[in-house]
Amino acid sequence: MVGTPVRQVAVFGAGYIGLVTGACLAELGHRVVIRDINPDKIELLRSGDVPIYEPGLGDMITRNKERLTFTLDLQETLDGAEIAYVCVDTPPSASGDADLSRLWSVVRSLEGATHLRAVVVKSTVPVGTGARVRSALDAAGLAHVGYAANPEFTAEGRAVNDFLHPDRIVIGSADEATAALIAELHEGVDGPVAVMDVRSAEMVKLASNALLATKISFINEIATLCEKTGADVEEVARAVGLDHRLGPHFLRPGIGWGGSCFPKDSEALRQLASNTGYHLQLLSAVIEVNNLQKRRAIQKLKDELGTLTGMRVALLGLTFKPGTDDMREAPSTVLAARLLAEGAEVSCWDPMARPADTEPWTSTSRYERPEEALEGADAAIVVTEWPQLKEVDWARAAGTMRRPVLFDGRNLLNPAEMRALGFTYMSVGRP
């Protein structure tokens, strides 16, 4: 970092990506102002609280509080800023396309910010968005301001580490000076820089997540076939992953992927293809397999219990993955909705989840300990592989359940041990 210029950076959006980006840039020594339009969120951040659960993020924000400012005010955000980062949400619209309304709101707000050197979009956007933003900046008298796409590749639960030690830093820009400026901004980050054109950079994010989703859906299909043939998917995945051409990552069978990226980005890529008149057959199958995987869990319980009407089912874990409080596109939402539709009573446990005050969650019961959710249950589903579930006294839990039926949707527990404790134990792809 010796000799590296300290930059003034404006970050628009105080969500997962905006907060991690801003905090990490401050950690690298830059001065950062983070703006959001949600007063409650900004008030929390100003008071030293972090509105999301992300390991290490709170400590990093506290450590860099002299270089970090949180505001609702546009002028304060842009005052002296050299680089403006756009980190706003781009959720699916009714048509399936990305809703870019928040992005365009930020772009419009930059009119008059002639002191900026670069505008950087970190939000996930359709390929071609950068060209439209470039035209809008030109029309606003900001033709001299550089533009770059700098997609994020951080996984929730390890986002801080992923930012500081990434597999790659992708920078898409039409001019070398802007690309060099953004690369310099990341000085101190332990990862290679890949510079390319804007459209390719926009495609990298969508293609990466689609490929990871494909690996998960593929191993889930193999898991189903293993159940039909008596093979063990865990052994199959372990041996397949030893092939250096394939690797072990994302070859974990389960009840399907969720979260803020895989579902949204897979659908966005499929919609992008449809808009060009091309049908992504493989990706469509990947999405279908994932949708069916959750429903297969419900069917397994129905096959075992005969009916779910009047049954009490415990959902163990609600977030889409451990180490986060994120409920976006979590498989638990589909499971809870389907169980309620089948006439079941649903009890839930999760150490971090904050479900919305809407259906299906308003019709479920929440408990502070997994043992409480299991008491009186006819069946349970391990939805999220929280490590706390390995510490449960399962022998005692079997005695408190009406029927000790357990579907391990993450293959977290040992089949032989659970059966020895009296459980009717089912998992994904294991005999």
Side-chain angles (χ1 to χ4, degrees), residues 259-281:
S260 62
C261 290
F262 284 8
K264 177 174 72 71
D265 292 355
S266 296
E267 288 288 358
L269 187 58
R270 183 164 67 166
Q271 187 65 37
L272 177 67
S274 296
N275 291 343
T276 67
Y278 182 66
H279 176 59
L280 287 175
Q281 299 182 60

Side-chain angles (χ1 to χ4, degrees), residues 108-415:
R108 286 191 296 270
S109 74
L110 300 178
E111 185 173 356
T114 56
H115 56 283
L116 285 173
R117 293 185 60 188
V119 173
V120 186
V121 169
K122 206 163 190 68
S123 303
T124 303
V125 296
V127 178
T129 300
R132 295 170 59 201
V133 174
R134 176 71 273 170
S135 296
L137 293 174
D138 293 348
L142 302 176
H144 63 286
V145 178
Y147 177 81
N150 177 216
E152 57 85 19
F153 300 97
T154 53
E156 290 178 33
R158 46 172 293 175
V160 170
N161 182 75
D162 284 349
F163 188 101
L164 297 176
H165 306 279
D167 292 326
R168 75 288 203 198
I169 302 167
V170 174
I171 302 172
S173 184
D175 65 276
E176 294 182 4
T178 299
L181 175 64
I182 305 309
E184 177 200 86
L185 191 70
H186 288 79
E187 188 70 33
V189 172
D190 179 26
V193 176
V195 177
M196 60 193 70
D197 63 277
V198 173
R199 289 176 184 268
S200 295
E202 291 169 338
M203 181 65 84
V204 168
K205 175 62 187 299
L206 297 174
S208 295
N209 279 344
L211 182 55
L212 294 176
T214 297
K215 291 188 72 173
I216 298 172
S217 285
F218 175 79
I219 201 62
N220 278 334
E221 286 236 282
I222 296 299
T224 300
L225 191 56
C226 284
E227 292 175 7
K228 303 290 186 182
T229 60
D232 187 333
V233 73
E234 298 283 326
E235 295 300 323
V236 172
R238 180 174 65 86
V240 168
L242 291 174
D243 189 323
H244 70 278
R245 300 168 299 174
L246 303 172
H249 303 297
F250 290 84
L251 291 179
R252 289 290 308 275
I255 54 176
W257 35 265
S260 62
C261 290
F262 284 8
K264 177 174 72 71
D265 292 355
S266 296
E267 288 288 358
L269 187 58
R270 183 164 67 166
Q271 187 65 37
L272 177 67
S274 296
N275 291 343
T276 67
Y278 182 66
H279 176 59
L280 287 175
Q281 299 182 60
L282 177 59
L283 185 57
S284 295
V286 166
I287 294 170
E288 182 181 359
V289 168
N290 190 63
N291 291 337
L292 288 173
Q293 200 68 8
K294 309 172 192 67
R295 286 161 174 77
R296 291 188 69 247
I298 302 298
Q299 189 59 49
K300 285 190 175 187
L301 291 190
K302 287 181 68 176
D303 291 343
E304 182 62 37
L305 299 174
T307 180
L308 292 174
T309 302
M311 300 293 178
R312 180 183 174 92
V313 180
L315 296 182
L316 304 177
L318 302 180
T319 57
F320 84 95
K321 62 183 283 188
T324 179
D325 60 355
D326 199 345
M327 289 288 295
R328 286 178 289 182
E329 299 293 334
S332 61
T333 303
V334 175
L335 294 173
R338 287 302 311 139
L339 287 168
L340 291 169
E342 294 281 350
E345 177 187 350
V346 180
S347 60
C348 308
W349 166 84
D350 190 285
M352 296 302 305
R354 290 178 284 187
D357 190 23
T358 57
E359 291 291 347
W361 303 115
T362 51
S363 296
T364 66
S365 302
R366 292 285 305 281
Y367 295 90
E368 294 186 2
R369 298 170 59 245
E371 293 85 352
E372 294 172 334
L374 288 164
E375 190 169 346
D378 296 282
I381 304 176
V382 174
V383 184
T384 313
E385 60 272 38
W386 285 103
Q388 293 92 319
L389 293 176
K390 288 191 173 183
E391 308 303 320
V392 169
D393 184 343
W394 287 105
R396 184 180 181 281
T400 66
M401 294 176 70
R402 279 203 296 252
R403 306 189 202 185
V405 175
L406 178 66
F407 174 66
D408 187 349
R410 298 298 180 185
N411 290 1
L412 180 70
L413 307 169
N414 183 282

Side-chain angles (χ1 to χ4, degrees), residues 14-15 19 34-52 70-73 354:
L19 283 179
I34 301 178
R35 184 196 185 212
D36 203 276
I37 59 174
N38 185 325
D40 293 336
K41 185 181 293 185
I42 293 300
E43 186 59 36
L44 274 175
L45 289 164
R46 284 174 173 171
S47 68
D49 201 359
V50 180
I52 59 173
F70 302 100
T71 186
L72 296 165
D73 186 74
R354 290 178 284 187

